[in-house]
Amino acid sequence: DGGITQSPKYLFRKEGQNVTLSCEQNLNHDAMYWYRQDPGQGLRLIYYSQIVNDFQKGDIAEGYSVSREKKESFPLTVTSAQKNPTAFYLCASSVGGPPGGQPQHFGDGTRLSIL
Amino acid sequence: AQKITQTQPGMFVQEKEAVTLDCTYDTSDQSYGLFWYKQPSSGEMIFLIYQGSYDEQNATEGRYSLNFQKARKSANLVISASQLGDSAMYFCAMREGWYSSASKIIFGSGTRLSIRP
């Protein structure tokens, strides 16, 4: 079955450490997204990519980095510059380009905590 | 700037009653799409329903319908005959830059719906 796989499900970060969250999709979608969700809050866009080797900053990109070397993969690195990384991270994908009526498909998320 | 507003942080509804979840949006685009998602306590995001800005009829999907009032910039979700399994967070979302290759989707802050037996 096609879908989006996020790993790991739980991740712990030490102070000053970079960690990478994995996101893989086999839906053949062009567009991929990373969101951050704090407890009881909505989703805030970190980065998004409409095509391989290209990505754009979202609303809260500071302290995060991404790469899009393959269509299927969109890893997110939480750097030591992100001082409050504890949150639930969701990866999503969708058919890219117009028209814009295609919904996003989401992974099951990664919960990141500070040790 | 584009924005989604959900003014109801939480709602309690009796089982089998209908419920309306409010969503207003702000955009300068003429072409856009509106989505509703459900997030149970387990955390996954479930797509419920979609409405395009040029769609003349309100979208419906089973027990879900979208009350789209373009002039008022509102896209309220209506759930008929609520069930205990409907208890979850509900998010309204909008795709901006519809015809742009760099379109992105923004989300509202959500409404927590609790169904009473």
Side-chain angles (χ1 to χ4, degrees):
Chain A
D1 286 340
I4 299 178
T5 301
Q6 288 188 244
S7 62
K9 191 169 184 177
Y10 299 95
L11 186 59
F12 298 91
R13 195 192 89 168
K14 295 180 181 178
E15 294 285 343
Q17 185 182 45
N18 293 352
V19 292
T20 297
L21 284 60
S22 170
C23 178
E24 303 277 334
Q25 55 100 357
N26 60 4
L27 299 166
N28 200 33
H29 285 169
D30 289 310
M32 297 187 75
Y33 310 79
W34 273 106
Y35 292 92
R36 169 180 171 142
Q37 186 178 29
D38 292 287
Q41 304 296 315
L43 279 66
R44 291 186 291 168
L45 183 63
I46 306 173
Y47 270 98
Y48 63 110
S49 167
Q50 297 289 333
I51 196 169
V52 174
N53 291 323
D54 187 40
F55 48 82
Q56 288 79 39
K57 292 182 179 179
D59 300 318
I60 55 164
E62 186 173 351
Y64 300 97
S65 66
V66 293
S67 63
R68 187 85 188 275
E69 298 176 0
K70 299 186 299 180
K71 187 175 184 178
E72 309 79 40
S73 178
F74 192 42
L76 173 73
T77 296
V78 184
T79 74
S80 56
Q82 173 50 247
K83 298 306 180 187
N84 184 23
T86 297
F88 186 51
Y89 291 86
L90 283 160
C91 178
S93 72
S94 69
V95 173
Q102 298 296 326
Q104 290 174 309
H105 296 253
F106 284 83
D108 290 337
T110 293
R111 294 192 184 276
L112 176 61
S113 302
I114 290 287
L115 279 177
Chain B
Q2 282 82 352
K3 187 179 179 182
I4 294 279
T5 302
Q6 294 181 253
T7 57
Q8 307 153 309
M11 290 185 69
F12 287 89
V13 173
Q14 203 67 32
E15 190 180 8
K16 299 182 184 178
E17 289 184 351
V19 57
T20 298
L21 305 181
D22 295 341
C23 173
T24 58
Y25 59 92
D26 188 21
T27 180
S28 55
D29 288 349
Q30 295 301 309
S31 300
Y32 50 90
L34 296 155
F35 306 82
W36 277 92
Y37 288 85
K38 172 184 178 181
Q39 186 180 42
S41 57
S42 52
E44 75 266 30
M45 296 287 285
I46 301 167
F47 166 69
L48 296 178
I49 196 166
Y50 158 79
Q51 179 86 40
S53 59
Y54 289 120
D55 293 342
E56 294 185 351
Q57 302 218 338
N58 287 343
T60 60
E61 288 287 347
R63 293 187 299 114
Y64 304 108
S65 60
L66 202 153
N67 184 3
F68 181 48
Q69 298 187 45
K70 192 171 181 177
R72 298 181 61 184
K73 293 189 175 178
S74 76
N76 298 339
L77 176 71
V78 179
I79 305 174
S80 63
S82 57
Q83 302 171 356
L84 296 178
D86 293 334
S87 294
M89 282 287 283
Y90 288 81
F91 292 100
C92 181
M94 177 173 65
R95 178 185 289 275
E96 54 184 44
W98 181 303
Y99 287 107
S100 164
S101 61
S103 68
K104 62 181 182 180
I105 297 178
I106 58 172
F107 284 78
S109 56
T111 295
R112 182 171 298 282
L113 176 64
S114 299
I115 307 298
R116 293 193 182 110

